Amino acid sequence: MAKHDYDLFVIGAGSGGVRAARVSAAHGAKVAIAEEHKVGGTCVIRGCVPKKLLVYGAHFAEDLQDARRFGWEVPACNFHWPTLRDNVLEEVARLEAAYTDTLRNHDVEVIKERAVVTGPNEVRLAGGRTVTARHILIATGARPVLPDFPGAQHGITSNEVFHLPELPRRVVIAGAGYIANEFAGIFHQFGSDVTLVNRSDIILRGYDETIRDRLLTISMMKGIQFRFHAAFRKVEKARDRTLTIHMTGCDPIEADMLLFAVGRSPNTEGLGLESAGVQIDDKGAVKVDEDNKSTCGSIYAVGDVTNRVQLTPVAIREGQAFADTVFGDKPTRVDYGSIPSAVFSHPPLAGVGMTEGEARNKLGSVKVYLSDFRAMKNVLAGRNERALYKLVVDGETDEVVGLHMIGPDSPEILQAAAIAVKAKLRKEDFDSVVALHPTMAEELVLMR
Ligand code: NDP
C-alpha cells in the first residue's frame, strides 16, 4: 500500500501550479491540486489574459480615428464598457473551464478548497479533510500590495478592475510600474481622465532609460497626467462617491476610481509553512534553492510565491523544471538569463538583455545603436508618435547584449529578436540579414 495519499499535492492552480501538476501526472505521479479561487490563477483570471483583451479593446479608439485617414467613413463611435467587460469575463470563464478540463484529462484531482500545510507531508483542506503527500508544491502566487493610509480602503486593485460596474470618468493610478502604465493606457483610450501618481520620478524601473523616457513623452502628449515624488496622505469619499486624494507635494486630485498598482507580495500568510520548517524571507517569499526546493526537503515552491521573476512564462518554466526533476527523472534548472519582457502600454514596449546603463556598468566598452522613426502607418494617420529601437552591443566582442524597443507591435517583434540575443549573436550577424521591407522590424538589421 502507498505510504501517502498522493505523490504530489499542489497548492494553487495558477500558471506554475497547473504546469507542475499536469506534467508530474504525465510522468506517472498521483497528483491533486487545491485552488480556493478559480483554476488559472492571476494570469488567466485577473491578469495578463483579461488585461490584454482590454488593451485590444482600448486600441480601437485610435484605430477608428486613424481609419478615416485611410479612406474609411467612420461615424461617431461610442464605447460601451459593460459589453467589453462581459465579453472578457466570458472568455475568462471559458479558459478556466479549459484549464480544469486539461487537469482532469491528465488525471489530476482538482480540489476547489483552500489548503494549508500542517506538516512536511500533510495538508489540511478547508472542508476538514487531511491528506498526505510525498511532495507538496507551493504555487500560491502573489497578491496586490494595499498601501496603509487613511481612506486607502476606497481604492481598488487589479483584482477588482476587470469587474467595474461602470467606466470611471476620472482615474488615479498609484504606482508607475507595469500595471500602472498598462491601465493608464487602457483607461485613457476609453476616454477617462487619467493621472498616474508615483513616489519617485521613475516609471518602469528596470527598463532602458531611453525607452522609458519615450513612453513618458508619448503618454504626456496623449494627455495622461503624472504626479511624481508624491506620497499618499489620505483619501476622502464624498456622498456622491467622488474620491478626494491628498498627497504630499501636490494639490489634491478628485477621482471616481483609485487603482493601486504598487507591486505584488507573495501569498504565504496563513499557509502553515512554519509547521513544516519552510523558511520565508523578509518579503514573505518562500526561500528555495535552484531546484525549487524549500528549507523542508519534501516541500517545493514555484512562481510568484518565490518572488524571483514575477512573470507567467517563468512560473511555467519553474513548474515544468520541478516536474521533470522530481518525477520525470530529468534534472532540469531554469535558465534566468535574457528573459524578454513587455509592457502593454499605448504604445507597447519590450526589452531583453542588458539596458544601456547596465552594460556601461558591467562591460569595458559599449556601443549603442538607435533607430528613432515614425511607423509608416502613423505617418499616413497623421499621428505624431515615434518608435524607438535600441541595440546595446559589447564593444569588444560585437555581441548584442541588449535589445529594447517601443512602438507598435514591439512585444511581437521582440519575442523573435530575443532568440538572437539569447543565442549571443553579434551585431555583424544582425547586419548580415537582408531587410524585410516595408516593416518596422527591418530597423533591427539596418542600424548603423
Ligand atoms: P511594479 O513592481 O511593476 O511597480 C511598482 C510601482 O509601485 C513602482 O512604480 C514603484 O515605485 C511603486 N511602489 C512600490 N512600492 C511602493 C510603496 N510601498 N508605496 C508607493 N509606491 C510604491 O508593480 P505592479 O504592481 O505594476 O506589477 C506587479 C508585478 O506584476 C510586476 O513587477 C510584473 O512582474 C508583473 N506584471 C507583469 C506584466 C507584464 O509582463 N506585462 C503586467 C502586469 C504585471 P518606484 O519604482 O518609484 O520605487
Side-chain angles (χ1 to χ4, degrees):
M1 232 178 91
K3 193 169 162 221
H4 298 292
D5 299 323
Y6 301 99
D7 296 314
L8 174 65
F9 195 96
V10 182
I11 306 182
S15 301
V18 165
R19 174 59 68 95
R22 179 168 71 70
V23 177
S24 300
H27 286 316
K30 186 178 179 204
V31 184
I33 187 164
E35 171 58 56
E36 63 179 329
H37 187 50
K38 289 182 174 173
V39 173
T42 299
C43 179
V44 176
I45 307 296
R46 56 194 112 78
C48 336
V49 171
K51 178 276 310 285
K52 185 74 185 280
L53 293 171
L54 293 189
V55 169
Y56 281 132
H59 214 277
F60 281 101
E62 289 183 356
D63 292 342
L64 287 167
Q65 219 174 25
D66 294 352
R68 297 187 174 103
R69 289 280 303 161
F70 287 85
W72 293 90
E73 281 176 27
V74 182
C77 292
N78 294 316
F79 171 66
H80 190 237
W81 161 252
T83 303
L84 178 61
R85 178 198 62 202
D86 293 349
N87 288 344
V88 168
L89 294 178
E90 208 175 287
E91 173 59 7
V92 167
R94 187 189 71 77
L95 287 171
E96 190 206 354
Y99 270 69
T100 309
D101 285 350
T102 305
L103 286 167
R104 293 200 169 125
N105 292 342
H106 281 81
D107 292 327
V108 174
E109 186 181 335
V110 180
I111 302 171
K112 297 293 259 328
E113 284 176 59
R114 180 171 170 81
V116 296
V117 174
T118 44
N121 301 95
E122 196 183 80
V123 167
R124 195 178 59 241
L125 299 167
R129 190 157 67 101
T130 295
V131 299
T132 63
R134 184 151 66 92
H135 294 294
I136 296 169
L137 180 69
I138 310 296
T140 47
R143 63 178 184 285
V145 170
L146 266 178
D148 186 16
F149 59 81
Q153 73 276 11
H154 300 309
I156 63 163
T157 69
S158 53
N159 286 349
E160 293 79 41
V161 76
F162 299 102
H163 300 268
L164 297 177
E166 59 200 27
L167 188 67
R169 197 165 53 80
R170 298 159 300 176
V171 172
V172 169
I173 305 179
Y178 281 85
I179 296 176
N181 280 284
E182 290 181 344
F183 277 96
I186 290 168
F187 283 111
H188 173 73
Q189 299 287 319
F190 289 160
S192 306
D193 282 338
V194 178
T195 307
L196 230 112
V197 176
N198 200 35
R199 60 178 179 182
S200 70
D201 60 356
I202 292 174
I203 70 165
L204 292 167
R205 196 184 286 280
Y207 276 91
D208 189 271
E209 202 176 333
T210 327
I211 304 294
R212 291 194 264 127
D213 282 351
R214 179 59 55 92
L215 178 65
L216 183 59
T217 307
I218 295 176
S219 299
M220 286 167 64
M221 222 167 63
K222 285 182 193 282
I224 296 172
Q225 300 182 59
F226 290 82
R227 299 277 188 281
F228 290 131
H229 297 300
F232 285 82
R233 283 200 298 115
K234 64 173 177 181
V235 175
E236 291 162 329
K237 189 171 186 175
R239 279 228 176 118
D240 68 353
R241 295 189 294 169
T242 294
L243 304 176
T244 306
I245 298 158
H246 299 266
M247 297 151 291
T248 54
C250 53
D251 293 338
I253 312 177
E254 289 198 339
D256 304 301
M257 184 185 91
L258 168 61
L259 172 67
F260 291 118
V262 291
R264 298 174 58 82
S265 76
N267 279 327
T268 46
E269 260 171 46
L271 257 190
L273 296 174
E274 60 291 341
S275 66
V278 174
Q279 282 178 15
I280 55 172
D281 69 13
D282 55 350
K283 299 247 165 40
V286 177
K287 285 188 193 174
V288 286
D289 66 13
E290 281 182 304
D291 293 311
N292 304 297
K293 191 188 278 194
S294 76
T295 47
C296 169
S298 55
I299 300 186
Y300 292 70
V302 295
D304 286 1
V305 76
T306 64
N307 201 22
R308 287 174 284 186
V309 181
Q310 288 189 348
L311 294 175
T312 297
V314 176
I316 291 172
R317 288 263 164 143
E318 289 168 356
Q320 177 86 39
F322 159 81
D324 288 343
T325 303
V326 177
F327 296 105
D329 201 18
K330 188 177 151 205
T332 310
R333 283 182 176 168
V334 175
D335 173 0
Y336 292 91
S338 296
I339 296 173
S341 63
V343 183
F344 294 94
S345 41
H346 279 77
L349 59 87
V352 63
M354 286 188 228
T355 62
E356 181 182 346
E358 285 166 350
R360 293 205 184 281
N361 285 339
K362 281 186 195 151
L363 307 175
S365 119
V366 175
K367 282 190 192 155
V368 170
Y369 297 84
L370 277 180
S371 177
D372 188 338
F373 64 99
R374 200 142 68 109
M376 198 190 239
K377 188 166 167 266
N378 282 345
V379 176
L380 195 76
R383 191 169 285 286
N384 185 22
E385 196 177 298
R386 298 185 70 83
L388 186 66
Y389 293 3
K390 181 191 262 193
L391 281 181
V392 183
V393 177
D394 185 328
E396 269 156 35
T397 62
D398 197 40
E399 182 187 322
V400 177
V401 293
L403 169 54
H404 310 278
M405 52 209 295
I406 179 168
D409 297 329
S410 290
E412 302 288 346
I413 298 166
L414 186 112
Q415 175 70 83
I419 300 169
V421 177
K422 179 83 181 160
K424 299 184 182 300
L425 296 191
R426 291 159 304 154
K427 174 71 168 59
E428 189 184 88
D429 300 312
F430 278 63
D431 297 345
S432 72
V433 179
V434 174
L436 206 165
H437 188 70
T439 61
M440 293 176 283
E442 69 180 312
E443 295 300 321
L444 292 176
V445 300
L446 295 175
M447 287 188 235
R448 298 287 187 270

